[in-house]
Amino acid sequence: MYAILDIETTGGQFNEEGITEIAIYKFDGHEIVDQFISLVNPEIPIQPFVVKLTGINNAMLRSAPKFFEVAKRIIEMTNDCVLVAHNADFDYRILRTEFRRLGYDFNIKTLCTVELSKRLLPEQTSHSLGKLVRALGIPMAERHRASGDAMATVKLFKMLLDKDLDKEIVKE
């Protein structure tokens, strides 16, 4: 099982960012079997450039749940899964930081679709999510929003699984 996710953050100093939105699609290798999408109140202001990029502003997050209120659902969604994300190191670091603030050690295996695409699609000129999905003809809605980026990552990952004839992804 895979927990394919995307996180939007406040921006700011390294390891001081807060989550503003999270989307997780539980994927069995063939189809999505569960999903969780939520805005998150980071309890700190969002950087202006991030507001411009995502369209998520401080007012939208005032009534959103705080991280501790969605933490249990995130654990349920990711339990016994491999975490898959486009630039997985970033999303994993942000999640670990948020859980560490709650006194919980969040540990999970990760798989990065940037690294996989570089290995399985070396002919692509860019491995950024937007350019890669456009080049591959993968439809994408809501760019720079957690649900749109996570869904594009699901479709990209499915394509990478199909292209991985030696089944290296599954073996890893």
Side-chain angles (χ1 to χ4, degrees):
M1 287 296 256
Y2 305 96
I4 302 177
L5 66 84
D6 186 69
I7 291 172
E8 300 302 329
T9 70
T10 58
Q13 295 290 331
F14 185 84
N15 280 348
E16 289 180 14
E17 311 100 321
I19 294 176
T20 58
E21 188 177 39
I22 186 167
I24 305 171
Y25 293 101
K26 199 169 204 170
F27 183 69
D28 66 3
H30 303 285
E31 62 186 8
I32 295 166
V33 296
D34 197 2
Q35 67 180 39
F36 174 69
I37 301 163
S38 181
L39 288 171
V40 179
N41 181 340
E43 303 181 81
I44 57 173
I46 305 170
Q47 300 285 310
F49 81 93
V50 175
V51 172
K52 204 171 188 175
L53 183 69
T54 64
I56 299 169
N57 61 48
N58 295 307
M60 291 169 67
L61 302 178
R62 276 192 201 105
S63 61
K66 294 177 173 77
F67 184 78
F68 76 88
E69 297 173 282
V70 297
K72 183 177 183 230
R73 181 71 173 126
I74 293 168
I75 290 168
E76 289 168 0
M77 288 289 296
T78 58
N79 192 35
D80 295 326
C81 289
V82 174
L83 185 145
V84 178
H86 205 72
N87 190 6
D89 287 350
F90 172 80
D91 297 88
Y92 186 49
R93 177 180 63 81
I94 297 294
L95 272 179
R96 284 187 53 84
T97 299
E98 288 282 11
F99 276 111
R100 196 175 303 117
R101 290 175 186 150
L102 298 178
Y104 179 79
D105 186 24
F106 182 77
N107 263 310
I108 190 169
K109 285 189 171 90
T110 63
L111 206 48
C112 180
T113 52
V114 173
E115 298 305 317
L116 289 174
S117 69
K118 285 178 179 176
R119 199 163 68 201
L120 295 168
L121 305 168
E123 72 284 358
Q124 291 299 320
T125 54
S126 174
H127 294 274
S128 75
L129 186 60
K131 290 178 181 169
L132 189 58
V133 298
R134 197 173 314 116
L136 297 171
I138 296 171
M140 182 173 210
E142 296 190 294
R143 180 76 178 110
H144 297 298
R145 290 296 301 264
S147 61
D149 287 1
M151 182 53 73
T153 304
V154 168
K155 292 171 183 171
L156 172 62
F157 185 61
K158 199 172 190 172
M159 192 178 277
L160 292 169
L161 283 174
D162 291 343
K163 191 158 182 63
D164 183 18
L165 302 175
D166 298 331
K167 301 296 174 216
E168 288 177 33
I169 296 171
V170 177
K171 286 177 199 165
E172 281 180 19

